[in-house]
Amino acid sequence: MPTNTFFNDIRLGDKKAFDKLFLAYYGELCRFAYTFAKDFDHSEEIVQRMFVRIWENRRKLIEPKSEKSYLYKAVYNEYLKQRRSENVRKQYHLSYILNKNDDAGETTSYQQILPLLNKAIDKLPEKCRQIFILNKLEGLNQKEIAEYLDISIKTVENQVAIAVSKLREELKPYLHLLPATLLFIVFH
């Protein structure tokens, strides 16, 4: 297996060191990515994008204590980035559909409630807010959040439940304004 000198050489622009690192870990990282991506093509795409990011940001590379640990974490983070961007696209699509298909009254209520919802989310305790956003707005499941934040799944469950309860209480006077789709996303 490679030694930590690869990162130093890559930071200096050594393409051969980068190629050796890629060849040494590519297959192993693809197998790792498959454990959560559940698709071979998607797994390869995740690993390839992660290596592209390493090369593009090579001047900022800091030699890790363990290349293997660093690469595994980088692959998982790349997977999370892709999931988030997919979820953002879905939300924009949902928003487009809501705005296109809703009557004027429902669109107006959606525009009225969104700032109130954002304000209520901002009032949540920091960790609770972070977990709620990862779960409800970025679409990560509880296991993914637990792994990403290095906490237990039970903690994630509890924090989501606390957030939903606090938001329900905070938005109680405005719940009648929430479109059904938004109610489902936030409170389900």
Side-chain angles (χ1 to χ4, degrees):
M1 271 299 140
T3 63
N4 284 343
T5 59
F6 281 132
F7 275 76
N8 285 330
D9 294 341
I10 292 167
R11 186 176 52 248
L12 298 171
D14 186 343
K15 179 77 168 95
K16 287 182 182 179
F18 176 79
D19 291 344
K20 286 179 184 176
L21 183 72
F22 180 88
L23 292 172
Y25 285 105
Y26 182 76
E28 181 179 341
L29 292 172
C30 285
R31 286 187 296 280
F32 171 67
Y34 182 77
T35 63
F36 41 85
K38 304 296 185 211
D39 176 87
F40 288 113
D41 292 336
H42 190 215
S43 301
E44 287 183 331
E45 181 183 335
I46 291 166
V47 174
Q48 290 167 5
R49 284 187 185 198
M50 183 274 305
F51 273 111
V52 167
R53 284 186 201 281
I54 285 176
W55 183 253
E56 287 175 344
N57 298 309
R58 66 187 171 275
R59 290 182 188 94
K60 299 175 195 170
L61 276 180
I62 297 171
E63 186 175 324
K65 290 181 182 177
S66 166
E67 282 181 353
K68 188 173 185 174
S69 295
Y70 176 88
L71 293 171
Y72 272 68
K73 185 73 172 172
V75 165
Y76 188 69
N77 286 339
E78 185 63 39
Y79 165 73
L80 293 177
K81 274 183 202 160
Q82 287 186 13
R83 284 283 309 266
R84 285 185 198 118
S85 68
E86 288 170 13
N87 288 326
V88 167
R89 277 194 297 273
K90 287 177 188 173
Q91 286 175 350
Y92 281 119
H93 181 70
L94 177 62
S95 178
Y96 171 77
I97 290 170
L98 285 172
N99 289 330
K100 184 178 177 195
N101 294 332
D102 284 350
D103 60 46
E106 209 168 297
T107 301
T108 302
S109 67
Y110 184 75
Q111 290 169 345
Q112 289 173 333
I113 196 69
L114 210 49
L116 297 170
L117 177 60
N118 287 331
K119 192 174 184 181
I121 291 170
D122 287 342
K123 287 182 180 179
L124 293 171
E126 184 179 342
K127 195 68 156 181
C128 188
R129 180 178 61 245
Q130 180 186 26
I131 291 169
F132 178 82
I133 289 169
L134 287 170
N135 181 248
K136 299 294 185 175
L137 304 179
E138 295 189 18
L140 298 180
N141 66 37
Q142 292 176 348
K143 183 180 179 199
E144 292 168 335
I145 296 168
E147 289 173 1
Y148 180 67
L149 297 177
D150 197 24
I151 57 177
S152 73
I153 293 175
K154 191 68 176 166
T155 300
V156 174
E157 290 172 4
N158 290 339
Q159 291 299 309
V160 169
I162 289 167
V164 168
S165 175
K166 287 184 179 211
L167 291 175
R168 222 181 242 132
E169 188 62 35
E170 180 80 21
L171 297 171
K172 198 173 198 173
Y174 310 104
L175 288 178
H176 67 283
L177 295 174
L178 278 170
T181 313
L182 196 54
L183 269 170
F184 181 78
I185 291 170
V186 174
F187 298 116
H188 188 266

